[in-house]
Amino acid sequence: MSTNPYAHPNPSPQPDGSLGDLNDAQRGAVTHAGDALLVVAGAGTGKTRVLTRRVAWLIQQGLAPYRILAITFTNKAADELKRRLEELPGGAQVWAGTFHRFGSFLLRRHGADIGIDPGFTILDRDDQLSILKAIYKDLDIDPATPRPVEALSMISHVKNGGGGRPPLDLTAPGIAASFDALREHYIARLRQADLLDFDDLLLETVRLLTECPHIAEQYHQRFGHVLVDEYQDTNVVQRDLLLRVLGPDAGITVVGDPDQSIYRWRGAAVRNILEFDQDFPDAEQVLLERNYRSTGHILGAAESVIERNKGRHAKRLFTEQDDGALVKLTRCRNGEDEGTVAAQQIANWQDAGRRLDQIAVFYRVNSMSRGIELALNQRRIPYVVVAGTEFFQRREVKDALAYARLVANPKDEAAFLRVVNKPRRGVGAASLRKLRDFAAMHDLALGTAASRAEEAGMSKRAANGVKRFLALLERVRAMPVAPVAPILEALLEGSEYRATLQDSPDDLDRSRLENVDELVAYAREFGKQEPEGDLRTFLERAALVSDQDGYERGTGRVSLMSVHAAKGLEFPCVLITGAEMGYFPHARSLGDPAGEEEERRLFYVAMTRAQEELSVTHAARRQTYMGEEHRVPSPYLNDVPSSRLDNQDFAAWGAPAAWSEARQPDPDAFDFELPASASHPSEAMAALQHEAAVRESGPGLEVGERVLHPYFGAGRLEAVSGAGEDARVTIDFDAFGQKQLLLRHARLEKLP
DNA sequence: GGAAAGACATTTTTT
DNA sequence: ATGTCTTTCC
């Protein structure tokens, strides 16, 4: 069996329809003839290939491509699917996209039947928050009681049926009343301004299909087969939507892996996949267990981690590849060391012939990217951060889009609030307050009320500013709705938004200008690709793109990303950082058994992204915003049999002399200071010697005392045996259970 | 009304 | 350490 992952056959449909490149299970899934099929596809078992080929097979069986609905988790996955299907006659007519996009598609067409203006605007989280904050002001609610973000999560929670743990404790005194008021106002506000949030996109579609049987019927007729990818991450509303769009004669195929369900916190219901046969009693199930991605040690290590979860769908992955390299586990003293190790690991892989774009570094929280970035910068290792502040999330891009949204939907309150005073037009908080009062009194949307600024009692200056603002929007509304780029340009020029950035003394604003220009360029590209594409389509595109959609392969750089962002990707070399309690599992999920199981799955997902090399680091101490903290290695590491591990200590990586001449950074090129341990080996040694001295003097331990071990964390001293050099201690560690250690090596500290 | 300075909390993951 | 929200002063 080849160990080269690139040797695997391309998953594109074979033009001749042959299935010879599939294994038995895959072939069974592709050619399943019944109405309902569940494909439980373990990590790296060829899930995407099966999905694509099944669509191809359905078409070959005579199902018209436009009668196929394929729902994916990201737009990128949908585009990828479409690209592969293009080789097939009619393949481009398959409807492929995310649940949200499908909802949006139906609501634009039929929303009017349930009182939704087809010109609705889609709100993202920022927009939702700005509306909610405005409501806080109107209702004079103390932003400390439920904080706006919490209230927002709670609103979403309630909208989605309220299963699981509520993000907000409504039993706290005084909260419930203000929350209900908030929620009601929020919903009314969105209604009034033709705004839909992400939840509404799904919920309103369900309502449409429920309240309008004739429309539902139309789609029952149309879709002969529905396929859903990543089914383990669908929520109850998505399942509901699926059941309603599916006609009595339609077939359904869902693909997923319960072990990779990592979006429970967002409302994903693993139940959907685990109890698929309850929704579809005659469903058949195909299990894909042969992994083509990873070498033996990597897969084995990952399996031994996931095995510990309770209530799993029975499944055991295997590979026919060689064992390959051991999983390397490196203990670092602190976060800086970890950065050094990351850089060095990357360099080592590079020396072994890897390209940088075959390497990925994962972390649990996005904020951890900073330390890694710093270390890679110092060594001039090119990298790309996937996600982070993504393009469409940038303030200036959102500002520009807000202008455009107001052109498309004059009632868009979130957009109005965002840019009515950007750049400054003399419309401050006091004026807005007057405007809101006036709007509320006459039951108008904010944008509508604005045209009567004087009546609202605004100052002359403010009223003037608002007038200029509205005049610009009117002017642009008179322009044709396509192409989009000129619309954006007219707005940016007419509002002087562009000019303000250009003239700003702040360099940050200058770089913002570039982003604004990039947005215009993006719009121009959009116009080229879709000559018919109007403003509305463009805005929808912008609202529904995700961070993951931005990821591109073959950049010649190392990829840095959160584990969540890594889902669905694979890399020859993977480095998982921060494998510690608090990250894996995350501190927030401690004490919640279901949450902890999800954390384990998350670590499993991280491990199974690796094809040939998997390296894991953890730090004994880490600097947080509250100061330096002790860190305990992730308990998941303990589940990996030591026969699959290559244990390393930061010290074992050797002094910075190990850096090859060629990679030695140019000292003049950096304004950063290298970490002491890297730039001055002697200092590092001094530190180690100091530690040793502390150790020898010893903390005079007694049985029953709490102690701290730099590796295993806190524990209780159970017993002492032997004496002098051979003294051994037995310690019951909180996170690792009982261990016997040589006292002289244990580096114990006494805990109060 | 706006700018600047200061207080303050913030860190999970995101369609 | 950073960014956001609030306060203060012009």
Side-chain angles (χ1 to χ4, degrees):
Chain A
M1 193 60 224
S2 160
T3 51
N4 175 5
Y6 295 108
H8 299 143
N10 185 312
S12 288
Q14 307 284 99
D16 63 354
S18 90
L19 302 165
D21 57 330
L22 300 175
N23 67 34
D24 288 349
Q26 291 174 331
R27 199 176 313 118
V30 167
T31 63
H32 179 261
D35 280 341
L37 173 66
L38 163 63
V39 183
V40 176
T45 54
K47 178 188 66 141
T48 311
R49 174 196 293 187
V50 164
L51 198 67
T52 326
R53 299 290 288 276
R54 181 149 175 82
V55 175
W57 183 82
L58 288 165
I59 295 173
Q60 277 155 8
Q61 296 300 299
L63 186 61
Y66 76 91
R67 298 194 59 211
I68 297 174
L69 173 64
I71 312 258
T72 54
F73 195 67
T74 62
N75 295 302
K76 196 176 144 226
D79 292 345
E80 183 67 13
L81 182 67
K82 274 194 216 158
R83 197 182 58 75
R84 286 175 178 170
L85 291 172
E86 267 165 18
E87 301 164 28
L88 260 61
Q93 295 166 38
V94 171
W95 201 103
T98 62
F99 272 106
H100 290 89
R101 198 171 265 190
F102 180 64
S104 182
F105 165 77
L106 287 193
L107 291 172
R108 296 261 186 235
R109 287 181 141 197
H110 309 290
D113 287 52
I114 53 167
I116 290 175
D117 189 307
F120 64 83
T121 305
I122 300 168
L123 293 185
D124 70 7
R125 212 185 142 76
D126 272 12
D127 301 324
Q128 295 178 292
L129 219 47
S130 77
I131 289 185
L132 206 58
K133 282 179 185 163
I135 297 173
Y136 268 76
K137 282 188 188 152
D138 285 1
L139 300 184
D140 255 326
I141 295 178
D142 178 4
T145 28
R147 288 208 313 278
V149 271
E150 290 170 337
L152 193 59
S153 319
M154 190 63 188
I155 289 174
S156 174
H157 177 80
V158 173
K159 275 190 181 185
N160 284 297
R165 65 302 70 112
L168 188 67
D169 179 17
L170 286 184
T171 60
I175 296 245
S178 52
F179 173 74
D180 285 342
L182 277 171
R183 197 170 68 88
E184 276 166 32
H185 275 80
Y186 174 82
I187 291 169
R189 249 356 205 272
L190 263 56
R191 269 288 157 81
Q192 185 188 40
D194 295 330
L195 303 172
L196 298 184
D197 63 24
F198 286 132
D199 296 328
D200 294 333
L201 243 26
L202 304 176
L203 287 165
E204 295 295 329
T205 307
V206 169
R207 190 162 72 87
L208 171 75
L209 294 173
T210 313
E211 290 179 9
C212 306
H214 62 288
I215 293 173
E217 180 59 23
Q218 189 182 329
Y219 289 94
H220 290 173
Q221 297 290 333
R222 168 164 171 188
F223 293 120
H225 204 102
V226 181
L227 302 98
V228 188
D229 193 11
E230 308 278 18
Y231 197 60
Q232 77 282 355
D233 286 325
T234 52
N235 64 26
V236 291
V237 182
Q238 287 165 335
R239 164 179 162 274
D240 207 9
L241 175 52
L242 206 54
L243 292 176
R244 283 171 205 284
V245 84
L246 209 67
D249 302 322
I252 179 169
T253 301
V254 304
V255 185
D257 179 5
D259 287 336
Q260 295 183 66
S261 161
I262 55 173
Y263 286 101
R264 195 185 79 99
W265 52 273
R266 203 169 80 187
V270 206
R271 196 220 76 94
N272 286 173
I273 193 164
L274 293 176
E275 295 173 14
F276 183 71
D277 55 353
Q278 290 185 13
D279 290 334
F280 301 94
D282 53 352
E284 280 187 48
Q285 177 186 319
V286 173
L287 217 56
L288 303 184
E289 293 176 293
R290 172 158 173 201
N291 173 291
Y292 291 92
R293 180 183 294 154
S294 310
T295 52
H297 281 318
I298 294 172
L299 188 66
E303 285 285 296
S304 53
V305 168
I306 198 67
E307 264 168 19
R308 305 275 177 132
N309 262 358
K310 315 262 183 293
R312 283 179 70 216
H313 205 276
K315 173 159 64 57
R316 177 151 202 112
L317 300 192
F318 66 97
T319 177
E320 294 192 4
Q321 293 193 49
D322 300 336
D323 277 348
L326 292 169
V327 175
K328 187 183 273 183
L329 177 62
T330 309
R331 167 188 130 70
C332 310
R333 283 176 311 176
N334 52 41
E336 287 82 63
D337 281 359
E338 187 177 48
T340 306
V341 168
Q344 193 152 26
Q345 175 67 83
I346 291 166
N348 289 351
W349 278 332
Q350 229 183 340
D351 289 345
R354 303 293 183 174
R355 288 197 321 268
L356 289 179
D357 53 24
Q358 296 180 315
I359 301 172
V361 181
F362 300 158
Y363 32 78
R364 177 62 222 271
V365 295
N366 277 122
S367 59
M368 268 189 72
S369 76
R370 217 183 299 140
I372 310 288
E373 288 186 68
L374 190 70
L376 300 195
N377 272 325
Q378 283 167 354
R379 276 82 181 192
R380 314 230 109 175
I381 297 173
Y383 62 85
V384 52
V385 180
V386 178
T389 348
E390 191 247 355
F391 182 71
F392 284 97
Q393 309 259 62
R394 289 173 193 276
R395 197 186 313 167
E396 58 278 15
V397 173
K398 296 196 70 164
D399 286 345
L401 287 173
Y403 272 103
R405 276 164 46 182
L406 277 171
V407 170
N409 175 8
K411 293 195 277 186
D412 187 338
E413 180 175 333
F416 182 88
L417 289 173
R418 188 170 186 101
V419 291
V420 63
N421 202 29
K422 257 187 223 177
R424 305 232 174 309
R425 293 185 184 89
V427 191
S431 302
L432 281 180
R433 167 126 228 172
K434 283 177 194 154
L435 193 60
R436 271 201 300 272
D437 288 348
F438 182 79
M441 206 185 314
H442 296 84
D443 199 24
L444 298 170
L446 218 48
T448 320
S451 58
R452 293 152 70 179
E454 276 114 340
E455 278 179 74
M458 285 167 73
S459 71
K460 202 157 198 177
R461 171 158 57 152
N464 250 323
V466 169
K467 234 181 250 168
R468 278 207 323 273
F469 179 63
L470 293 179
L472 167 69
L473 294 177
E474 274 317 317
R475 208 161 64 234
V476 177
R477 272 184 204 123
M479 294 172 67
V481 291
V484 177
I487 299 178
L488 278 178
E489 277 174 329
L491 287 167
L492 291 167
E493 296 303 327
S495 64
E496 293 180 341
Y497 189 91
R498 222 175 162 284
T500 312
L501 285 183
Q502 214 157 19
D503 300 339
S504 164
D506 191 345
D507 325 342
L508 216 68
D509 284 340
R510 236 70 56 67
S511 79
R512 293 208 167 106
L513 182 62
E514 285 171 28
N515 287 324
V516 169
D517 288 340
E518 201 177 320
L519 179 69
V520 177
Y522 177 87
R524 217 170 268 128
E525 184 59 26
F526 170 80
K528 246 185 248 165
Q529 305 227 323
E530 286 170 58
E532 307 284 294
D534 61 2
L535 183 59
R536 237 180 238 174
T537 316
F538 175 79
L539 289 173
E540 175 164 322
R541 192 69 51 90
L544 294 178
V545 290
S546 76
D547 285 358
Q548 292 200 3
D549 293 330
Y551 178 72
E552 276 176 41
R553 263 188 180 286
T555 52
R557 298 150 178 236
V558 176
S559 300
L560 271 51
M561 67 189 85
S562 71
V563 179
H564 282 88
K567 181 178 136 161
L569 303 176
E570 61 183 12
F571 297 89
C573 306
V574 166
L575 175 66
I576 303 173
T577 63
E580 298 145 28
M581 280 294 250
Y583 286 141
F584 296 102
H586 194 276
R588 287 268 286 248
S589 61
L590 289 178
D592 167 17
E596 288 185 37
E597 296 228 325
E598 175 147 311
E599 296 293 320
R600 189 179 283 277
R601 292 195 291 268
L602 195 58
F603 197 67
Y604 172 74
V605 167
M607 294 177 88
T608 52
R609 301 306 96 196
Q611 296 173 311
E612 294 171 52
E613 301 277 350
L614 176 59
S615 186
V616 181
T617 59
H618 63 94
R621 295 167 166 274
R622 198 179 283 283
Q623 193 69 43
T624 73
Y625 65 94
M626 335 178 55
E628 189 161 68
E629 288 182 339
H630 282 283
R631 309 288 295 183
V632 176
S634 166
Y636 308 145
L637 299 174
N638 240 25
D639 299 330
V640 179
S642 54
S643 60
R644 298 199 186 278
L645 282 180
D646 169 14
N647 265 291
Q648 300 262 341
D649 200 286
F650 172 64
W653 286 77
W659 286 95
S660 62
E661 276 301 309
R663 229 183 320 271
Q664 213 44 260
D666 172 2
D668 299 328
F670 300 103
D671 6 3
F672 307 113
E673 222 178 282
L674 290 171
S677 55
S679 57
H680 302 294
S682 54
E683 277 181 30
M685 279 310 292
L688 286 172
Q689 277 161 10
H690 174 72
E691 269 182 44
V694 170
R695 210 183 312 146
E696 271 150 30
S697 63
L701 297 167
E702 284 178 41
V703 170
E705 277 189 307
R706 300 278 300 163
V707 293
L708 186 75
H709 184 272
Y711 193 106
F712 298 114
R716 179 174 174 277
L717 184 63
E718 297 291 334
V720 184
S721 63
E725 286 255 299
D726 285 317
R728 285 164 193 274
V729 289
T730 307
I731 298 165
D732 189 15
F733 289 105
D734 301 346
F736 287 85
Q738 284 217 352
K739 300 253 176 223
Q740 216 184 57
L741 305 164
L742 261 178
L743 182 58
R744 78 189 140 102
H745 286 152
R747 290 192 246 167
L748 293 173
E749 281 176 53
K750 205 192 238 180
L751 281 180

